[in-house]
């Protein structure tokens, strides 16, 4: 029988292996470590690649998911929009609009799709109304207007179910503001002019009145954009994921073929091992893409280039140092 005074040995607690963590972190900058991890743990590299693709689209995902419809038309170039909205509201002869059951129409019947035209010097802004219940689509009616009126640039196209606004830099063909939306999140409006006049009836200063009109109009644009924001986010994220995933998969056979040289010691590597190396190397370019995306902006043009350039550079660096045939 065991002695009562015998000491009970407690199992030693295993200490967390920080060396392994540092080793994996080292792979962010060390291609030799990337090669070692990719060969030994090629299965986990698939999950690293998927994580990298997600990281690379985070700036676009978070920015676009919180974007307001008015953000692109509330800028320094919107003077023509401000003047057009103000003059449209103040012009009693201009047809008024209404929204009933999330569908827009004119208060009184109109015979022309151009319901208002603001023009001053070389500034011009047109407001169109399209009845899309007639069988002709919103896009087709816009295209018809643009084909028959080549001078149309700054314009607001209001359809029964959706709208689109475009603003161009004065004297240029460069678009500096555009937004679109639907009326699903907009409550019934008996008079669009009265809606824009909210909180402005007691004002006397013309600049304050214009500001009040635009505040109401921006609210309208924000609510209208909610209907298509998810679609816009999905489209942009899908395009960027396609580009980033495509370049990653394209690099894989290139690295594999470059390691097949007759005198290349890496020719013993299997395809799945080269895949492990290729996929594990995506993490650093993805992190750089995320950082630069938040700094430089998350536009489609920027985000579709950063990862391609960063990953292409790392793949070239990896190939030249660790996978190519040694120079004799």
């Amino acid at each position: 029988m065991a002695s009562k005074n015998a000491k009970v040995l407690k199992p030693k607690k295993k200490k967390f292996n920080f060396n392994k963590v540092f080793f994996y972190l080292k792979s962010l900058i060390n291609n030799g470590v990337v090669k070692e991890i990719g060969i030994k743990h090629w299965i986990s590299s698939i999950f690293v690649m998927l994580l990298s693709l997600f990281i690379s689209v985070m700036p676009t995902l978070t920015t676009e998911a919180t974007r307001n419809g008015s953000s692109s038309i509330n800028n320094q170039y919107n003077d023509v929009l401000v003047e057009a909205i103000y003059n449209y509201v103040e012009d009693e002869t201009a047809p008024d609009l209404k929204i009933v059951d999330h569908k827009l129409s004119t208060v009184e019947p109109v015979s022309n799709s151009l319901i208002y035209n603001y023009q001053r010097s070389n500034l011009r802004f047109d407001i169109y109304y399209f009845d899309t219940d007639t069988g002709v689509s919103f896009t087709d009616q816009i295209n018809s207007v643009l084909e028959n009126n080549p001078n149309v640039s700054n314009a607001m196209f209001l359809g029964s179910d959706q709208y689109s606004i475009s603003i161009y830099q004065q004297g240029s063909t460069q678009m500096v503001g555009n937004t679109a939306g639907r009326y699903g999140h907009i409550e019934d409006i008996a008079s669009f002019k009265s809606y824009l006049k909210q909180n402005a009836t007691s004002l006397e200063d013309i600049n304050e009145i214009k500001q009040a009109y635009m505040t109401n109009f921006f609210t309208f644009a924000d609510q209208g954009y909610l209907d298509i924001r998810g679609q816009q986010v999905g489209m942009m994220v899908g395009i960027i994921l396609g580009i980033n995933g495509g370049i990653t998969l394209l690099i894989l056979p290139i690295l594999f073929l470059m390691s097949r040289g007759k005198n290349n010691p890496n020719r013993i590597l299997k395809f799945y091992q080269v895949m492990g190396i290729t996929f594990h190397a995506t993490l650093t370019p993805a992190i750089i893409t995320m950082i630069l995306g938040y700094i430089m902006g998350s536009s489609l043009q920027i985000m579709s280039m950063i990862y391609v350039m960063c990953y292409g550079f790392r793949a070239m660096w990896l190939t030249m140092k660790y996978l190519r045939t040694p120079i004799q």
Side-chain angles (χ1 to χ4, degrees), residues 18-30 33 37 280 283-284 314:
F18 284 99
N19 291 331
K20 184 173 291 187
V21 175
F22 292 140
F23 179 72
Y24 276 90
L25 289 177
K26 192 177 179 181
S27 68
L28 292 174
I29 58 175
N30 191 311
V33 177
I37 294 175
H280 196 83
L283 189 56
T284 300
R314 183 162 207 196

Side-chain angles (χ1 to χ4, degrees), residues 131-174:
D131 184 358
T132 51
D133 292 332
T134 58
V136 183
S137 71
F138 181 68
T139 303
D140 287 343
Q141 294 193 55
I142 291 179
N143 291 336
S144 177
V145 167
L146 296 179
E147 289 174 2
N148 297 325
N149 301 276
N151 294 326
V152 172
S153 55
N154 303 309
M156 183 190 310
F157 300 104
L158 302 166
S160 302
D161 301 294
Q162 64 190 87
Y163 66 85
S164 174
I165 303 171
S166 300
I167 303 174
Y168 290 81
Q169 190 169 358
Q170 185 176 348
S172 171
T173 58
Q174 180 183 357

Side-chain angles (χ1 to χ4, degrees), residues 285-309:
I287 294 174
I288 295 174
T289 300
M290 179 184 68
I291 295 172
L292 292 179
Y294 281 120
I295 295 175
M296 300 173 61
S298 59
S299 68
L300 184 61
Q301 294 84 354
I302 293 175
M303 295 305 298
S304 61
M305 291 177 57
I306 298 178
Y307 178 84
V308 173
M309 295 175 62

Side-chain angles (χ1 to χ4, degrees), residues 81-97:
L81 176 64
V82 174
E83 295 299 325
I85 292 294
Y86 172 76
N87 283 274
Y88 165 71
V89 174
E90 296 296 321
D91 190 343
E92 296 181 355
T93 64
D96 201 355
L97 302 163

Side-chain angles (χ1 to χ4, degrees), residues 161-225:
D161 301 294
Q162 64 190 87
Y163 66 85
S164 174
I165 303 171
S166 300
I167 303 174
Y168 290 81
Q169 190 169 358
Q170 185 176 348
S172 171
T173 58
Q174 180 183 357
M175 183 179 289
V176 292
N178 71 294
T179 189
R182 298 179 181 273
Y183 314 113
H185 285 80
I186 300 176
E187 299 298 327
D188 288 358
I189 297 175
S191 167
F192 189 51
K193 290 184 178 182
S194 298
Y195 172 86
L196 296 176
K197 285 182 178 180
Q198 293 178 92
N199 304 318
T201 54
S202 60
L203 300 175
E204 295 182 358
D205 183 79
I206 187 171
N207 291 321
E208 291 182 353
I209 294 173
K210 290 178 180 179
Q211 182 61 46
Y213 287 1
M214 293 309 298
T215 298
N216 295 327
F217 183 75
F218 291 148
T219 300
F220 171 84
D222 290 340
Q223 292 175 334
Y225 187 67

